[in-house]
């Protein structure tokens, strides 16, 4: 017993101090929010649009725009761009409260995924979520589960995953929602008492991802339920998910980009 206590004491603090302390180190291969340099792109070749597997890239007035809600962050667009107009940064802050805010247009600043003040007052100190895997490949599910480990300790923020939707304040949905899961998702949502939230995590849950516009799926959860927070990625890094939750609840010190309707 004393040997175990001594070993644990020697290990020291294992939970990261984020957001009060430094951010955890991101892997070298991490691809964050894309940047588009309009000075380098005239919209003439459209090579990037042709290689995108999910149709996340489009053009408006000959200027490229990237829908991160559909993007798989495969970086093929950046690899084939002849002028280097597209690059993927290490910015893990990807979430948005409105679907349209996921579209990256030129160098426009990101709009934070902040809930309205009434929702922040209701859920800001304690949030219980029921996670629903709606046909996902388990990549998004695995990265969400990481937040429950001792290194991340999601519970210290008052955010917990619960077993029953009747004990939840909202749903955290992953996967493209195939037809066989449509009724289950709807019934789970109906079982959550009002007021409630819906958080869509990953490209599949937001837009259908690789399975978009297939007859077997419903292009994610947004077409079935009202979504309050969109968290892009394939899968999103645990830091992206954590930042999205804290930002939505107004728990971050720097909230200058927030859009807070009354």
């Amino acid at each position: 017993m004393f040997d175990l206590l001594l070993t644990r004491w020697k290990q020291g603090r294992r939970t990261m101090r984020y957001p009060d302390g430094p951010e955890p180190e991101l892997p070298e291969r991490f691809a964050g929010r894309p940047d588009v340099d309009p000075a380098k792109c005239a919209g003439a070749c459209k090579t990037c649009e042709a290689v995108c597997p999910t149709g996340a890239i489009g053009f408006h007035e000959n200027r490229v725009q990237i829908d991160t809600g559909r993007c798989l962050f495969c970086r093929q667009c950046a690899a084939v761009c002849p002028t280097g107009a597209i690059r993927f940064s290490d910015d893990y802050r990807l979430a948005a409260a409105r679907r349209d805010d996921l579209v990256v247009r030129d160098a426009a600043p990101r709009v934070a995924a902040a809930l309205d003040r009434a929702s922040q007052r209701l859920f800001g100190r304690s949030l219980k979520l029921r996670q629903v895997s709606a046909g996902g490949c388990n990549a998004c599910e695995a990265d969400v589960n990481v937040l429950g480990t001792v290194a991340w300790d999601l519970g210290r923020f008052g955010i917990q995953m619960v077993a029953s939707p009747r004990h939840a304040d909202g749903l955290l949905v992953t996967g493209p929602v195939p037809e066989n899961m449509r009724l289950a998702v709807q019934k789970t949502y109906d079982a959550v008492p009002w007021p409630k939230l819906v958080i869509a995590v990953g490209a599949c849950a937001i837009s259908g991802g690789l399975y978009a516009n297939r007859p077997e799926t419903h292009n994610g959860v947004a077409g079935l339920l009202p979504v309050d927070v969109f968290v892009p990625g394939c899968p999103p890094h645990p830091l992206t998910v954590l930042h999205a939750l804290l930002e939505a609840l107004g728990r971050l010190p720097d909230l200058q980009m927030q859009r807070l309707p009354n």
Side-chain angles (χ1 to χ4, degrees):
M1 177 64 180
F2 289 107
D3 290 340
L4 290 175
L5 291 174
L6 180 61
T7 300
R8 181 66 188 89
W9 179 77
K10 288 181 178 180
Q11 289 176 345
R13 182 186 177 95
R14 301 176 66 183
T15 302
M16 65 186 70
R17 298 182 183 274
Y18 178 85
D20 297 326
E23 302 161 350
E25 185 177 350
L26 293 168
E28 206 172 298
R29 62 183 181 276
F30 176 77
R33 189 172 190 266
D35 288 332
V36 178
D37 187 347
K40 294 182 178 179
C41 178
C45 70
K46 298 188 177 180
T47 308
C48 55
E49 185 179 28
V51 301
C52 182
T54 59
I57 298 179
F59 286 83
H60 178 68
E61 297 179 351
N62 287 330
R63 292 191 173 183
V64 65
Q65 56 186 25
I66 302 176
D67 183 354
T68 59
R70 302 177 70 176
C71 181
L72 302 183
F73 295 82
C74 64
R75 290 173 280 193
Q76 285 299 309
C77 55
V80 302
C81 180
T83 60
I86 301 174
R87 60 175 290 271
F88 283 80
S89 69
D90 58 358
D91 188 353
Y92 56 84
R93 302 169 302 168
L94 297 168
R98 299 194 317 166
R99 179 68 179 85
D100 188 59
D101 288 338
L102 295 179
V103 180
V104 175
R105 299 178 177 90
D106 299 341
R110 187 185 71 92
V111 178
L115 297 174
D116 59 77
R117 288 190 176 90
S119 296
Q120 288 187 354
R121 284 194 296 268
L122 282 170
F123 306 116
R125 296 176 64 86
S126 176
L127 179 65
K128 314 298 182 186
L129 296 172
R130 175 66 169 95
Q131 200 275 321
V132 180
S133 178
C137 69
N138 280 336
C140 292
E141 292 83 349
D143 277 3
V144 170
N145 288 341
V146 165
L147 297 178
T149 63
V150 66
W152 295 83
D153 192 13
L154 185 64
R156 64 194 160 117
F157 303 107
I159 306 173
Q160 295 179 333
M161 301 295 172
V162 295
S164 171
R166 298 192 183 278
H167 301 159
D169 299 308
L171 303 182
L172 189 151
V173 183
T174 55
V177 191
E179 174 59 24
N180 288 342
M181 279 296 295
R182 179 189 60 80
L183 183 59
V185 170
Q186 184 65 57
K187 285 189 172 182
T188 306
Y189 176 78
D190 293 341
V192 179
W194 287 97
K196 49 189 168 185
L197 303 174
V198 176
I199 301 170
V201 174
C204 287
I206 295 173
S207 65
L210 275 175
Y211 311 101
N213 302 321
R214 304 291 177 89
E216 301 88 355
T217 68
H218 291 275
N219 289 352
V221 70
L224 300 173
L225 305 176
V227 177
D228 299 279
V229 180
F230 300 89
V231 188
C234 187
H237 191 276
L239 182 56
T240 298
V241 181
L242 177 59
H243 184 274
L245 294 174
L246 297 181
E247 188 175 54
L249 299 176
R251 300 286 298 274
L252 294 174
D254 183 11
L255 297 174
Q256 296 177 357
M257 291 182 297
Q258 276 199 15
R259 173 183 291 155
L260 285 175
N262 291 319

